Amino acid sequence: MKDGRSVLVERGDTHKRVLTSFLNGTTKPHLGSILENMYDSSSRVDFRAKDRTTNPGMNMFNETHPLNEIEHGQAAMVTWAVRLVGDLVSAEAEEMTKQETGLHLRARAKAGGREEYDKASWDAIRAFRLSGLEDIAHKHAPIMTYLVKAYTQAGFAEAGHKNETARVVAIRKYRPQNLVVINTMMVMTNGRWIKANIYQMCRGIWLFASQAPASMYRVESRLGLCVSYKTVYDALREMGRGKRNRRIGKENKMLTGLAATAVKMEDCDSQAFDLKLLIERQARQERRALTTKILLDSLDLTHLENCTVVQFLQVLISFVPELSIYKKNLEEYAKILDRKPIPQSRLTETTPLSTNSANEMTVQGLREGILDFATTQMGIDEETLGNTASIWSGDGKTFNMLLLLKRMTAQEASDFHSFRWLIPLLELWHSKWTDLSRVVRTHWGTTDDPGSLATIAAIGECPKPSDMRKVDFFDGAHLVNLALDAQLLNCWELHFQTDDLQKHIKDMPEATRPSFEDLVKAANQLTRQHATLQAYYHALRPEDNGPNQPPIGSAWSSRYDICSDDDIEMNDPNDGDLDLPAPSASTDADITLANASLFIRNATLWREVCKAVADGDAGRVWEVWIFTFSGSGNPYYCQFLLEMFCCFKWEYGEALSDAVMKNWVVNLKGQRGHGIELDLMQEHHNLWLETLAQHKGHEFDETFYREVISPNVNDFLTLKDEMENNVALKSRTKKHGKPGVENELHAIMRRLREEEVNCFRKGRNDATLAADDFTKGLETLKASKLRDFITKSTITTNVVRLHHDQFGPSAFPPVSLEDFESELEAMDQSEELSGSDKHGPHHRMAVVDGDICMIQNEGELTPNMEHTVARH
């Protein structure tokens, strides 16, 4: 211990013991109380007029004077405390910047070097959490963290002076102080040592994913907010290379098209992809036995009816608050719809591959693209192929090109060069979009029909489709879901004999409210009355008495309304061959009721597909599309679905069919209700492959795409969501719970109620009869389409039989280049397969509490990169 002149003072043993007891807190009062009293007392003592060491006022800190020369006690104590804290936080900064703290992330690192452990990886980026950085700051820099919190959070220090547990500070909603604090801590730490940069690296990659301009990197890196653009570029390139070095061809994987994404297939039998067994089953040509009876027998009519029953229950329980107690019952009951759902918690593993510039719309271009993925990136060639088949999937146009490729190369002797190892798989989102367009086109009608989509769109102020062949997905889905909910609820109003469902059930004594079992029974009755083909035909031919008849409405008399110009235009929606059938010959028919019943049936099946995909159970109702596409002017998709039907029934075998069903959709969030189609996932990837390439003129086979953009595209999309979650921003959804949509719903229900749309009114025939695509499709298949399909689809397997002597020689049509060219030309001119680039962005659907919701994404779609391939 030194005196005031810095001379060392010796103390006796007694003094040492007393001083030790005082400093270690054995005796009272404790030092803290004395310091507090000293500071409080000194703050009430005036400064001497001749004191030149401190300027009286708020600033008691003296940065330059030696401490022993500062005269006033308050200024001396403040200066001592600040200088001490400065030394302490400097030591904390040294601790924070150590490699062991976990804040280092290097864009590049030598193999085996000291910094290899800190090399940037997507695992490290995905593990990034602001809460994790906050924990690091609290552990290694508690003093600095306390000071920043005291600076940013008013009342923070004062609230904790007397009682640590009593400190409660209100956190702002729009700029939470805790986020500001951790941002400040990370910037200061990086300012101390540039290698402590995990926050800056993650922020830089997030800026890249958000398409930030290069100038932003220059400014923000100078301010310590992110790393430089070059560092981001190097890190992404290295992470992309790391993915390609995994040798994914040795594992069960799925790939996506010319912009390729590898997706790990799960729950697969090891024998599922046995190439020899597959070729043997194909060579049997059992598909030649296909008939319309076999197609009809494959439909589980009870299952289809149950789909509608569940939706009747879902919409009622969601609409009436008092019935929300049955949500768990409904969740359990809805399991009767399950076929082969993927595990609810499955988080699909995806690895985007490098793009190439092959043209998938030519057979040669598609061949080059597939071989780039298979041979160059996956290590699959004639020598390594072995006995393993691979699934390559795509939207309708790409699926057809894959079939053409197999036909074009069928006469090659080897399994590899003939692409016999390639299994084409039709993806579901574009098929679902085609069905949505069919439903809107079939039921648009005119405003003479109070239940038509034209009428409902006018009430709900929904936009008129500009192209009935390819309706805007978001607008079309919103309109169909809104109309379906209104129709189903109107049926429930008829069941309960009320014009206010919510009030009616709320006013019922609890003891008399319907049980869940009562609601199930009623939903079954409503399904048979309003949502089957039998209900549709009963409305057209009421003289054919039968069970499950709808309620009888008031007597009807024609209004003789004149169609508006808008109605006339929509009756012929820019499609010359779209002919609507004439009304039924029965004079007693109720055309409006028939249209409503057919719409409920079509719309519930469309919504069921959406729910099935979101639930990860894609195989629930897709077979119905074979008939409806055949009857609605969608011949290509009818052929595609017939091909899939034959594969599942005769050629895949049980193990491969099971593997496809359990991997037909993916779940990128690992959360229940977030299944997504492979082609929609690839649509989103393609969007970013375009928009993230900030420099024009790049080709898809250039380094920038192959090594920086495409291998990391899925992680860019995920990172954007994770960064928003890190700062407590919620995903944006659109569902009927919003006030505006609920008002629209009530207005539409009122119109349906007033017009008695779902009641039978004898002779009501003002409306135009909607086409029954299912029955029309069945007749078309019987006439010639099924025979034509069998002839064309067996060309490839005719050649396969030549390579398997046990089947004997077969005569087969020659493979003509002219035939392929004419097919390609017809496909290019088909509106059914027209490009999806006119519409965007496309939205992912999710199931939340049983309701189907639309997840709103941003951006525009990218053309000409739309197919997905699956690799075993």
Side-chain angles (χ1 to χ4, degrees):
M1 184 175 180
K2 298 180 180 179
D3 62 13
R5 293 172 295 178
S6 297
V7 177
L8 188 63
V9 178
E10 292 290 338
R11 303 297 184 187
D13 292 340
T14 301
H15 188 275
K16 289 180 179 179
R17 285 194 299 271
V18 172
L19 184 59
T20 299
S21 297
F22 171 67
L23 293 176
N24 68 18
T26 301
T27 61
K28 292 186 176 180
H30 297 318
L31 180 59
S33 298
I34 297 174
L35 291 174
E36 193 173 52
N37 287 330
M38 289 175 59
Y39 183 81
D40 183 60
S41 298
S42 66
S43 66
R44 289 194 288 268
V45 175
D46 293 336
F47 282 76
R48 294 189 308 108
K50 295 183 178 180
D51 188 349
R52 297 291 183 265
T53 60
T54 307
N55 294 320
M58 292 297 295
N59 185 10
M60 294 289 103
F61 174 61
N62 190 313
E63 188 174 354
T64 58
H65 272 71
L67 187 61
N68 60 0
E69 294 182 7
I70 298 176
E71 298 177 5
H72 195 276
Q74 183 184 17
M77 292 183 70
V78 167
T79 300
W80 171 78
V82 171
R83 291 180 182 178
L84 174 61
V85 169
D87 292 338
L88 294 175
V89 297
S90 179
E92 286 185 347
E94 287 296 318
E95 184 69 21
M96 285 283 287
T97 57
K98 287 182 178 178
Q99 188 178 22
E100 295 78 12
T101 309
L103 298 181
H104 291 205
L105 206 58
R106 307 295 296 155
R108 294 182 177 184
K110 292 182 179 180
R114 181 173 178 271
E115 295 179 335
E116 185 180 19
Y117 178 78
D118 301 324
K119 187 176 180 180
S121 68
W122 279 113
D123 288 338
I125 301 298
R126 281 190 288 267
F128 171 79
R129 296 288 184 275
L130 289 179
S131 57
L133 299 184
E134 190 173 15
D135 292 340
I136 291 174
H138 275 294
K139 178 180 179 180
H140 297 282
I143 299 174
M144 192 68 244
T145 302
Y146 175 89
L147 294 176
V148 178
K149 285 184 176 181
Y151 192 91
T152 57
Q153 301 176 15
F156 175 84
E158 294 84 347
H161 282 172
K162 294 183 178 180
N163 185 351
E164 177 66 28
T165 60
R167 177 182 289 137
V168 178
V169 179
I171 300 297
R172 291 189 299 261
K173 179 179 180 180
Y174 294 109
R175 192 170 288 106
Q177 296 97 318
N178 62 317
L179 299 182
V180 175
V181 168
I182 195 60
N183 175 71
T184 303
M185 290 293 297
M186 292 301 107
V187 172
M188 291 192 301
T189 302
N190 182 251
R192 180 66 173 251
W193 180 228
I194 196 171
K195 290 186 178 181
N197 66 341
I198 189 170
Y199 175 79
Q200 287 72 18
M201 180 70 81
C202 292
R203 181 178 169 86
I205 294 175
W206 169 71
L207 289 174
F208 192 95
S210 302
Q211 307 149 53
S215 61
M216 184 173 289
Y217 294 91
R218 290 170 57 83
V219 174
E220 292 217 350
S221 63
R222 182 59 62 93
L223 297 175
L225 292 169
C226 75
V227 295
S228 68
Y229 180 84
K230 184 179 184 305
T231 301
V232 171
Y233 184 98
D234 290 343
L236 292 173
R237 188 172 182 178
E238 289 296 311
M239 289 190 288
R241 287 174 175 170
K243 290 183 176 185
R244 290 193 299 279
N245 288 335
R246 295 179 184 175
R247 299 293 295 173
I248 63 169
K250 301 300 181 182
E251 305 173 14
N252 292 343
K253 299 288 178 179
M254 280 182 142
L255 291 183
T256 37
L258 298 177
T261 303
V263 182
K264 182 178 181 181
M265 294 185 70
E266 300 186 44
D267 299 327
C268 300
D269 189 297
S270 59
Q271 298 300 313
F273 299 91
D274 188 303
L275 180 57
K276 291 181 179 178
L277 289 178
L278 176 64
I279 293 174
E280 181 180 324
R281 288 190 293 263
Q282 291 172 339
R284 291 172 187 162
Q285 295 189 336
E286 292 176 288
R287 64 173 60 200
R288 288 184 178 276
L290 179 64
T291 63
T292 52
K293 183 180 185 306
I294 290 176
L295 290 172
L296 286 172
D297 289 345
S298 71
L299 298 179
D300 186 342
L301 300 182
T302 301
H303 172 76
L304 297 178
E305 199 169 286
N306 286 337
C307 291
T308 306
V309 170
V310 169
Q311 291 192 45
F312 263 109
L313 294 169
Q314 180 67 53
V315 71
L316 178 68
I317 291 172
S318 296
F319 185 72
V320 180
E322 285 71 25
L323 298 180
S324 62
I325 58 173
Y326 296 138
K327 284 186 176 181
K328 290 292 184 183
N329 303 75
L330 177 58
E331 183 180 330
E332 190 65 27
Y333 180 79
K335 291 180 180 178
I336 63 173
L337 304 181
D338 289 353
R339 286 296 181 263
K340 294 182 183 294
I342 64 176
Q344 295 177 356
S345 61
R346 177 191 288 181
L347 177 60
T348 308
E349 296 181 31
T350 64
T351 306
L353 301 181
S354 299
T355 54
N356 58 57
S357 58
N359 181 4
E360 64 170 323
M361 288 300 100
T362 68
V363 174
Q364 181 61 30
L366 183 61
R367 178 181 179 277
E368 292 173 358
I370 290 174
L371 291 178
D372 173 60
F373 297 135
T375 303
T376 305
Q377 301 190 50
M378 298 168 59
I380 303 173
D381 54 29
E382 190 164 15
E383 294 181 0
T384 62
L385 176 64
N387 187 38
T388 303
S390 299
I391 298 176
W392 294 62
S393 59
D395 65 2
K397 184 174 286 189
T398 303
F399 179 75
N400 197 40
M401 291 299 300
L402 291 170
L403 294 175
L404 288 174
L405 172 64
K406 287 175 69 70
R407 282 169 54 192
M408 194 77 170
T409 60
Q411 298 184 74
E412 294 284 347
S414 76
D415 289 338
F416 180 77
H417 292 295
S418 65
F419 289 91
R420 283 190 278 275
W421 54 274
L422 185 150
I423 306 173
L425 176 67
L426 180 68
E427 290 171 351
L428 295 170
W429 187 84
H430 284 82
S431 305
K432 186 174 76 176
W433 183 21
T434 300
D435 191 49
L436 172 64
S437 300
R438 178 191 69 85
V439 173
V440 174
R441 185 171 67 250
T442 299
H443 295 284
W444 184 262
T446 72
T447 51
D448 285 334
D449 185 350
S452 71
L453 291 182
T455 299
I456 291 173
I459 297 172
E461 299 182 354
C462 300
K464 178 178 68 175
S466 60
D467 181 358
M468 284 289 181
R469 281 287 174 189
K470 291 287 185 181
V471 302
D472 178 88
F473 189 86
F474 184 87
D475 291 338
H478 172 64
L479 173 61
V480 169
N481 284 327
L482 184 64
L484 178 58
D485 281 354
Q487 294 277 15
L488 296 178
L489 290 170
N490 179 243
C491 293
W492 279 112
E493 288 179 333
L494 295 173
H495 174 78
F496 286 108
Q497 299 180 5
T498 180
D499 59 1
D500 190 335
L501 263 178
Q502 292 172 324
K503 184 177 185 302
H504 176 77
I505 294 179
K506 181 180 180 180
D507 291 346
M508 295 174 73
E510 286 192 33
T512 62
R513 285 178 186 166
S515 66
F516 182 74
E517 291 71 22
D518 294 333
L519 294 179
V520 171
K521 184 178 179 180
N524 274 279
Q525 178 185 353
L526 291 175
T527 295
R528 297 187 179 103
Q529 287 177 333
H530 298 282
T532 63
L533 283 179
Q534 288 73 22
Y536 171 75
Y537 286 120
H538 179 269
L540 295 178
R541 294 189 290 271
E543 60 273 13
D544 300 337
N545 292 325
N548 304 311
Q549 297 185 23
I552 303 298
S554 60
W556 176 85
S557 59
S558 177
R559 296 185 296 265
Y560 298 104
D561 289 343
I562 300 175
C563 294
S564 66
D565 291 341
D566 216 31
D567 298 330
I568 295 172
E569 177 188 342
M570 295 313 298
N571 243 347
D572 185 21
N574 57 52
D575 189 357
D577 62 358
L578 183 65
D579 58 326
L580 297 176
S584 171
S586 173
T587 56
D588 293 339
D590 185 343
I591 304 301
T592 294
L593 175 61
N595 288 347
S597 296
L598 188 62
F599 170 76
I600 293 175
R601 183 179 187 274
N602 283 334
T604 51
L605 291 179
W606 179 81
R607 183 187 281 179
E608 172 59 18
V609 172
C610 299
K611 291 170 68 69
V613 169
D615 287 336
D617 193 9
R620 295 211 295 233
V621 295
W622 67 273
E623 297 99 327
V624 177
W625 284 341
I626 294 174
F627 297 94
T628 55
F629 285 163
S630 174
S632 62
N634 291 287
Y636 280 103
Y637 271 93
C638 176
Q639 292 179 41
F640 302 157
L641 290 161
L642 285 170
E643 177 67 29
M644 293 306 307
F645 179 87
C646 292
C647 289
F648 278 117
K649 185 168 182 62
W650 289 299
E651 297 173 5
Y652 282 173
E654 183 178 354
L656 181 54
S657 295
D658 190 67
V660 171
M661 286 296 182
K662 291 180 178 179
N663 291 275
W664 213 347
V665 298
V666 296
N667 190 328
L668 303 178
K669 294 188 174 292
Q671 300 172 12
R672 179 181 181 180
H674 284 271
I676 180 176
E677 303 90 339
L678 288 163
D679 45 344
L680 182 56
M681 176 189 72
Q682 190 61 34
E683 289 270 7
H684 294 166
H685 286 190
N686 294 343
L687 161 68
W688 291 100
L689 287 171
E690 280 286 327
T691 56
L692 288 177
Q694 300 176 35
H695 305 289
K696 295 182 180 180
H698 285 286
E699 297 291 337
F700 288 119
D701 56 359
E702 289 184 12
T703 300
F704 184 64
Y705 270 108
R706 288 179 68 87
E707 298 189 6
V708 177
I709 299 295
S710 58
N712 302 304
V713 62
N714 187 56
D715 294 291
F716 291 145
L717 295 170
T718 304
L719 181 62
K720 284 166 59 68
D721 291 339
E722 289 179 349
M723 287 297 285
E724 291 192 357
N725 291 334
N726 264 313
V727 295
L729 291 175
K730 296 181 179 179
S731 298
R732 291 159 289 179
T733 62
K734 183 178 180 66
K735 55 185 294 187
H736 289 335
K738 291 191 174 182
V741 180
E742 194 163 312
N743 292 338
E744 296 167 4
L745 183 62
H746 281 287
I748 296 166
M749 290 170 62
R750 182 167 56 251
R751 179 67 182 275
L752 298 177
R753 188 186 314 125
E754 292 169 351
E755 297 285 350
E756 299 178 275
V757 167
N758 288 292
C759 294
F760 178 76
R761 303 178 71 185
K762 183 178 179 180
R764 179 166 50 176
N765 59 11
D766 278 352
T768 302
L769 181 64
D772 171 16
D773 294 330
F774 184 92
T775 303
K776 186 178 177 182
L778 177 60
E779 296 303 318
T780 303
L781 288 169
K782 285 181 178 179
S784 62
K785 188 170 290 186
L786 204 56
R787 182 176 62 254
D788 294 343
F789 163 76
I790 293 172
T791 300
K792 181 186 292 186
S793 68
T794 53
I795 291 176
T796 302
T797 50
N798 279 334
V799 180
V800 171
R801 290 171 67 91
L802 294 178
H803 298 282
H804 289 75
D805 295 336
Q806 67 267 34
F807 296 104
S810 299
F812 58 93
V815 181
S816 168
L817 183 60
E818 289 75 13
D819 291 341
F820 283 111
E821 290 176 346
S822 63
E823 280 195 47
L824 290 172
E825 183 178 357
M827 186 174 65
D828 287 339
Q829 295 175 356
S830 170
E831 290 185 4
E832 182 184 359
L833 300 179
S834 60
S836 61
D837 52 302
K838 295 186 294 183
H839 304 275
H842 295 306
H843 303 277
R844 179 171 59 84
M845 289 181 159
V847 172
V848 180
D849 293 332
D851 292 322
I852 195 73
C853 304
M854 198 85 73
I855 306 298
Q856 298 189 42
N857 299 296
E858 300 177 359
E860 294 183 340
L861 289 183
T862 305
N864 299 326
M865 291 196 305
E866 300 170 350
H867 78 273
T868 304
V869 284
R871 160 66 183 155
H872 170 67

